[in-house]
Amino acid sequence: MTEVIVLGLDGATWEVLMPFIEDGLLPNIGNIITTGRSGKLESTFPPITAPAWLSMATGQNPGKTGVFYFLNRDDPNSFDFEPLGSDKFYGKSFWDVLSARDQSVGVFNYPMLYPPYDIDGFMVSGLGSDADDTITYPEPLGMELDKVTDGYQVKVSYADPKYQGRPDALKQDLLEIIEKREQAIDYLLSEKNPDHFFGIISATDWAQHYFWRYHDEEHALYDPEAGHEDALQQIWERVDETVGLVTEHARGEDANLLLVSDHGFGPVNRTFHSNEWLKQQGFSYAEEQSLINQTRTKYFPYLRRVGEAVVRFAPQLNDIGKSIGESIRSSPGDGIDFDRSIAFAPRQNITCGMIYMLTDDPDDKRAVIDELDKLVDRNDGPESIEVYEPEDLYHGPKLDLAPDLLFEINGFECAVDPRPTAENNVFSDGSPSKARNGGHNQEGILIATGPDIGTDDAAIEADIYDIAPTLLYLHDTSIPQEMDGSVLGGLFEDEIVDDQLISTDSLENLVSIGKSSKRKDDQEVQERLKDLGYI
């Protein structure tokens, strides 16, 4: 019997949802709101898929997980970056605690959870996984999903040059992958019946990145003659149908249902070119390059646009368009003269600013901060900039792996692009690319309904770190002391949470119990695997 179902809607934001709900376009999401409780869910900083979904699973801030973006360091004295993988989740996530306590768990399409690993239940890797490799545990589940969905699909690459100037093609592909997600979720809930299910729909994020300028009349790139103004609405209407199906499963099982997002969303109307600014301020210097590499780097923006234009008019040449970009991509620190520079921006993030200092002199850091603060005084400068040091945002043993400075401009409505710019501009109008005209912010959503959830209109204010301990509480399971979040008492009927009754223990103790029982192949685990059809 499934006790708790969580459906993650990547990038869901009240800014988009509420107008649609008020117009009666999302009846299923609207019904959950009226029968339960809802509110804002504050994301990590930066509000990006990789650190956000990891923090939701572990209840830990990036200062403990060591994950600040898709690529991260393991050594504070090195600038070798590695992509986030399931090793950062393993043994630390709420589902590991549940699995250790003989509660079966279904984790579906979870970003960066790759490769999948052994749990009491099943696991399907999401964004970041290799479609040609094993993305399911148990492995045979992959064949089942292929059959159920007529060919399972991990992602739609919305920024692929083949979609440039072809929004209808992208919309159809997004609608198709949502259909596949719904088929898979329906199958997993019906046939596998885990005690806990956590599934994610990522197409909402991809759609908002691409279609925001068509939806938002105030966007810098909005064109009233362009059409496609209802594309985002159609995507969300289709997702609402999936929410309706999941709601039926929850009601049939008398389960608690939560809808969550990893971050919010909004327009991207300007771009700050961080490495160009660092260079002009004398904080960063480029390493010597061959004439060919200099030319490729300098004209990277033009080459990218050429590739997009080629594919726009001849989609069959998509591989050529991709190769233009791939031939000049580099690792986050490439092209920087580390001996002469005092700071650089890694080429991996455009949601907010990240800067690494290359000296230990506090005066150097202070100088960079002061110059960033002065950006608002420029004639072409932003309305606001907020600059943070790691200790302002995080705490934990991996604080020294964080960027030395992080900043947001105009409340994330100004992207921060560390890539080369041919015009040598510090600021430019519009988004870094037409495919990313919508961007992330920290204000996500939380909606809950079910037998344990309150039914009035009490507004909820929650942090992303609160989700993991709240889910464990719903399963009457001890909460790891390492988790930063708290049980969201405000979600529950009559706020039934009693702090005195919340059981806590170390993560090591909670997870090692399960590892020990698994090594013994206890009978209950074997029975569940039989129920799943794997033994």
Side-chain angles (χ1 to χ4, degrees):
M1 178 177 176
T2 303
E3 300 173 12
V4 179
I5 298 174
V6 184
L7 185 63
L9 304 175
D10 202 306
T13 174
W14 291 116
E15 183 175 348
V16 168
L17 293 186
M18 283 312 299
F20 289 162
I21 291 169
E22 290 168 357
D23 289 343
L25 300 173
L26 307 179
N28 294 303
I29 296 175
N31 183 61
I32 297 173
I33 292 173
T34 58
T35 60
R37 288 181 177 170
S38 59
K40 299 174 183 178
L41 185 64
E42 184 169 345
S43 184
T44 53
F45 193 104
I48 296 172
T49 295
W53 284 119
L54 177 62
S55 285
M56 191 179 294
T58 63
Q60 297 182 16
N61 81 92
K64 292 181 179 178
T65 66
V67 172
F68 306 91
Y69 195 64
F70 288 98
L71 301 178
N72 300 276
R73 302 184 295 170
D74 285 328
D75 182 351
N77 298 313
S78 170
F79 289 109
D80 291 332
F81 293 82
E82 297 293 336
L84 172 61
S86 60
D87 59 305
K88 299 294 186 182
F89 291 85
Y90 181 76
K92 308 176 188 71
S93 301
F94 75 86
W95 55 71
D96 295 312
V97 176
L98 291 175
S99 182
R101 295 303 177 109
D102 297 327
Q103 298 196 52
S104 61
V105 180
V107 184
F108 172 71
N109 193 45
Y110 211 94
M112 312 312 294
L113 187 61
Y114 175 78
Y117 59 83
D118 178 358
I119 59 170
D120 183 355
F122 60 84
M123 181 178 290
V124 182
S125 302
L127 180 69
S129 59
D130 186 346
D132 296 326
D133 202 351
T134 300
I135 63 168
T136 62
Y137 172 82
E139 186 172 348
L141 179 59
M143 292 184 289
E144 295 176 43
L145 294 181
D146 277 335
K147 182 178 180 180
V148 169
T149 64
D150 193 25
Y152 187 76
Q153 187 178 351
V154 173
K155 68 181 186 300
V156 172
S157 301
Y158 70 92
D160 194 303
K162 71 180 181 181
Y163 294 122
Q164 179 62 34
R166 303 177 66 233
D168 279 331
L170 176 61
K171 183 182 73 174
Q172 291 306 314
D173 287 350
L174 290 172
L175 290 171
E176 181 178 339
I177 200 171
I178 294 168
E179 174 73 17
K180 291 178 182 289
R181 292 288 184 266
E182 180 181 294
Q183 292 167 339
I185 290 171
D186 189 26
Y187 174 77
L188 293 169
L189 285 172
S190 299
E191 301 299 324
K192 307 306 178 184
N193 200 31
D195 295 326
H196 178 96
F197 178 83
F198 198 129
I200 294 173
I201 295 176
S202 297
T204 44
D205 178 272
W206 307 330
Q208 290 174 164
H209 274 305
Y210 187 99
F211 287 110
W212 197 278
R213 70 186 178 104
Y214 299 98
H215 167 78
D216 181 3
E217 295 182 5
E218 302 299 320
H219 196 282
L221 298 178
Y222 178 75
D223 179 359
E225 305 299 322
H228 313 292
E229 62 275 357
D230 62 347
L232 196 56
Q233 173 187 318
Q234 292 177 38
I235 297 294
W236 272 107
E237 286 178 321
R238 183 61 188 86
V239 170
D240 187 69
E241 293 177 15
T242 301
V243 171
L245 179 142
V246 174
T247 303
E248 290 180 9
H249 278 285
R251 288 174 179 165
E253 297 282 343
D254 198 28
N256 293 296
L257 171 63
L258 281 72
L259 306 183
V260 298
S261 67
D262 54 331
H263 51 71
F265 238 92
V268 176
N269 288 313
R270 300 198 72 199
T271 302
F272 173 64
H273 302 280
S274 52
N275 271 319
E276 178 63 30
W277 175 80
L278 286 168
K279 182 179 72 174
Q280 291 187 19
Q281 294 295 321
F283 295 134
S284 180
Y285 295 88
E287 66 178 357
E288 292 186 7
Q289 296 178 310
S290 68
L291 181 61
I292 292 176
N293 283 339
Q294 287 181 42
T295 303
R296 294 163 82 190
T297 300
K298 180 176 181 180
Y299 293 102
F300 166 75
Y302 294 135
L303 291 170
R304 186 176 63 221
R305 291 173 205 152
V306 168
E308 291 173 346
V310 167
V311 176
R312 176 180 179 181
F313 293 105
Q316 65 271 25
L317 299 179
N318 187 46
D319 289 342
I320 295 176
K322 283 183 177 180
S323 68
I324 290 175
E326 289 172 355
S327 68
I328 50 180
R329 286 180 186 153
S330 57
S331 65
D334 281 358
I336 303 297
D337 187 330
F338 284 85
D339 292 327
R340 292 195 296 156
S341 302
I342 68 169
F344 80 99
R347 296 183 186 179
Q348 62 157 323
N349 172 39
I350 59 176
T351 296
C352 67
M354 291 180 171
I355 292 177
Y356 290 93
M357 299 302 301
L358 298 174
T359 76
D360 296 326
D361 189 339
D363 291 338
D364 288 337
K365 180 188 282 190
R366 185 73 255 169
V368 176
I369 294 173
D370 289 344
E371 292 303 319
L372 283 171
D373 287 337
K374 291 178 184 177
L375 288 173
V376 295
D377 299 326
R378 293 172 56 107
N379 291 333
D380 62 347
E383 294 179 4
S384 66
I385 182 169
E386 299 291 337
V387 184
Y388 307 98
E389 296 185 58
E391 54 268 27
D392 298 328
L393 301 168
Y394 318 119
H395 64 276
K398 298 184 179 180
L399 189 67
D400 57 356
L401 298 177
D404 295 292
L405 296 174
L406 303 101
F407 58 95
E408 61 178 278
I409 302 178
N410 288 351
F412 299 103
E413 290 191 15
C414 178
V416 181
D417 192 346
R419 297 172 297 181
T421 171
E423 295 87 356
N424 299 324
N425 292 335
V426 170
F427 285 97
S428 59
D429 293 330
S431 53
S433 71
K434 289 185 177 180
R436 287 186 61 92
N437 53 80
H440 301 176
N441 59 41
Q442 286 187 277
E443 192 173 297
I445 70 158
L446 169 61
I447 309 171
T449 188
D452 294 317
I453 307 300
T455 56
D456 56 30
D457 58 356
I460 302 299
E461 296 281 345
D463 289 327
I464 200 167
Y465 316 116
D466 297 331
I467 298 300
T470 300
L471 295 178
L472 291 173
Y473 182 85
L474 281 169
H475 285 279
D476 195 25
T477 301
S478 295
I479 297 169
Q481 296 161 346
E482 292 84 350
M483 288 187 173
D484 295 311
S486 302
V487 175
L488 292 170
L491 274 184
F492 301 103
E493 187 69 45
D494 299 324
E495 299 191 7
I496 60 174
V497 175
D498 185 342
D499 289 340
Q500 301 297 320
L501 300 179
I502 295 177
S503 172
T504 64
D505 202 344
S506 71
L507 191 57
E508 182 181 6
N509 286 341
L510 290 172
V511 174
S512 65
I513 293 172
K515 289 181 178 178
S516 175
S517 64
K518 285 181 182 178
R519 283 195 293 269
K520 294 177 182 177
D521 292 324
D522 66 275
Q523 189 63 34
E524 290 186 9
V525 174
Q526 292 188 50
E527 288 301 319
R528 289 195 180 109
L529 287 173
K530 286 180 181 178
D531 291 341
L532 291 168
Y534 297 125
I535 63 172

